[in-house]
Every structure is written in C-alpha cells, then in structure tokens.
Amino acid sequence: MRIAAAWFVVCSSFLVHAGASARAADAAEPWPRDQDFSWMSIETWKARHAEDVAVAEAGGVDLLLLGDSITDGWDHHPMWRERFLPLRAANFGIGGDTTQNVLWRLDHGAVGRLAPKAVVLLIGTNNYGRNGDSPADVARGVTAIVRRLQAAFPAARILVLGIFPREATPDAPIRTTIRETNSMLAALDDGARVFVRDLGSVFLEADGSISPTVMPDLLHLSPEGYRRWGLALLPMVLPWLQEKVE
C-alpha cells in the first residue's frame, strides 16, 4: 500500500516545469502529468507519485511493476495480496500515464534505493489517443524507459510486456496499431536482461474478440482479466525472484 510521503521531492521537481503550457510531443521525453481529468487531478497524480517515491526510498522490493491504470488495478485484486505481495512486490502503476510520465517519474524519485530482481513494464496504450503517438513513437518511448531501467537496476531482469489488445473485434484499427507497436518492441529482447513477451492472447476469445467479462470497457481488466494476467505472468518472474545472487 502506498503512503503519502516524500512530498518535497515532488513539489521541488514540479517547480522546474512551472509556466510550461505544452505537453511533451516526444514520447521519449520525460514529462509530468499536466492535465486534470475527471477521474484524477494533477494534485492526485503528484500525491500518487510521492507515495511511490516513499516506497522507493524504503527499498526492500524484489519485484517492481511499472505502468498505467492497467498495472495500477492490481492493487484491488486478491491475487495481488495472496500471490504477489509475498514476493516483495511493489506496484508503481498510475492511471492515465504515458511513456513521458513514466520517464519523468523514474527521473524524479521512483528509483530511490530500489534494487529489484525483476521489473515488469507495461506502458504505451495511453500514448495513442491522448498524444496521437504512432507505433514508432510509442516504441521509442518504451525503449527510453527500458534504458533508464537498465541504468538504474543493472542486476535486474526487465520484462517488457506487449501492449494489451483493445476494442471488441480483431479488425478494430487500434488492434493493428498495437500489433505494429509490439512488433517493434520485440527488438528490445536481448535474451539476457531484457525480455519481451506479448500476453495479449490470454485476454482474447477463440475468434479474437474481447469479452466484457475480461475487459468491461474493452480496455481495462476485470477480476477475470487480472486472474488470466497473473497466471501468465507468475511463471515468468518466479524463476528470477528465486535465483540466488552469486
């Protein structure tokens, strides 16, 4: 559970951007949240980041999940408490984030004293509609995050997840956009420290459609969606977490 702390880090960092009126156009450029939404204000976003900074400063995390609302939603699923928290996991997902926002968070306190054995990254779906980013833009943004993570956590294994499918039918235009992005992300896999896996198929029905029982709004996961994700994810990260450090 996040706790409200390290507020001075957030406040001082935001002063750098005081007076800025345009959001970062480059998906690989760090940028803080600068737009209020009905479901999350800028102030709430700042507070959420501050809570993560406090966790980062405390350390003691073996498994770090990083991303947007899809990752954020893990906090409300019983599998998180039962299967992930015992693995010394931390959830640094914040709803609405883009690649720019995650880069900014990493540059402003979200690394802290962390030394995770594994990092799971899922980010990019908000870049499409909110920023109008292309698959190549999103891939550059994700690549920039991976390079930050490699520099911050040189001993960690980084699992980059392909962007999850959206919309009901397989012929929806956003599905093509996501497939193109994920194809580019595959180049990040070095077979040693960075691994790319596309788990999208676990959310699809036999005909390639997405059921509302898995994604009620055809984007965010239901409890069943998280169950499917967890069952696919745990076998990937458990060997890394159980590996003894030489």
Side-chain angles (χ1 to χ4, degrees):
M1 181 180 296
R2 296 180 173 93
I3 56 174
W7 183 250
F8 71 94
V9 175
V10 178
C11 291
S12 60
S13 299
F14 267 83
L15 290 175
V16 175
H17 297 280
S21 58
R23 284 185 289 282
D26 189 339
E29 179 183 348
W31 202 259
R33 183 75 61 83
D34 62 357
Q35 182 179 1
D36 282 318
F37 297 104
S38 59
W39 42 268
M40 184 182 292
S41 67
I42 295 173
E43 292 305 313
T44 299
W45 186 86
K46 294 179 188 179
R48 291 291 302 278
H49 173 61
E51 292 165 3
D52 289 346
V53 170
V55 173
E57 285 301 313
V61 171
D62 285 341
L63 174 61
L64 176 65
L65 273 63
L66 184 64
D68 52 35
S69 60
I70 299 173
T71 297
D72 190 2
W74 264 121
D75 283 344
H76 307 292
H77 196 281
M79 186 181 284
W80 180 256
R81 297 186 299 274
E82 296 165 5
R83 302 289 301 277
F84 284 89
L85 285 182
L87 301 175
R88 299 191 353 145
N91 183 351
F92 280 15
I94 299 183
D97 265 10
T98 60
T99 56
Q100 292 96 325
N101 301 148
V102 170
L103 283 165
W104 189 92
R105 290 199 275 132
L106 290 171
D107 285 352
H108 293 82
V111 171
R113 301 176 184 273
L114 294 177
K117 296 179 180 179
V119 181
V120 179
L121 174 67
L122 174 64
I123 194 65
T125 200
N126 291 320
N127 284 68
Y128 300 127
R130 185 158 305 145
N131 296 343
D133 288 331
S134 69
D137 293 329
V138 177
R140 282 191 309 101
V142 175
T143 299
I145 296 171
V146 170
R147 300 308 176 218
R148 291 285 205 291
L149 293 171
Q150 287 179 296
F153 312 126
R157 285 182 170 85
I158 301 167
L159 176 60
V160 181
L161 296 181
I163 296 171
F164 291 170
R166 297 167 51 174
E167 300 304 329
T169 60
D171 60 352
I174 190 63
R175 295 277 197 104
T176 300
T177 299
I178 290 171
R179 284 193 294 268
E180 290 176 3
T181 306
N182 290 346
S183 177
M184 295 177 189
L185 293 181
L188 288 169
D189 193 316
D190 63 13
R193 289 291 175 184
V194 179
F195 302 84
V196 180
R197 298 291 183 267
D198 185 353
L199 303 183
S201 62
V202 306
F203 306 111
L204 302 179
E205 304 306 305
D207 61 358
S209 66
I210 294 176
S211 168
T213 62
V214 177
M215 295 183 184
D217 62 356
L218 304 177
L219 169 61
H220 296 94
L221 300 179
S222 67
E224 169 60 16
Y226 281 104
R227 187 190 69 83
R228 295 186 186 191
W229 183 10
L231 291 177
L233 181 59
L234 283 168
M236 297 180 183
V237 299
L238 279 174
W240 300 340
L241 299 176
Q242 295 166 352
E243 191 174 82
K244 293 183 179 179
V245 178
E246 298 295 335

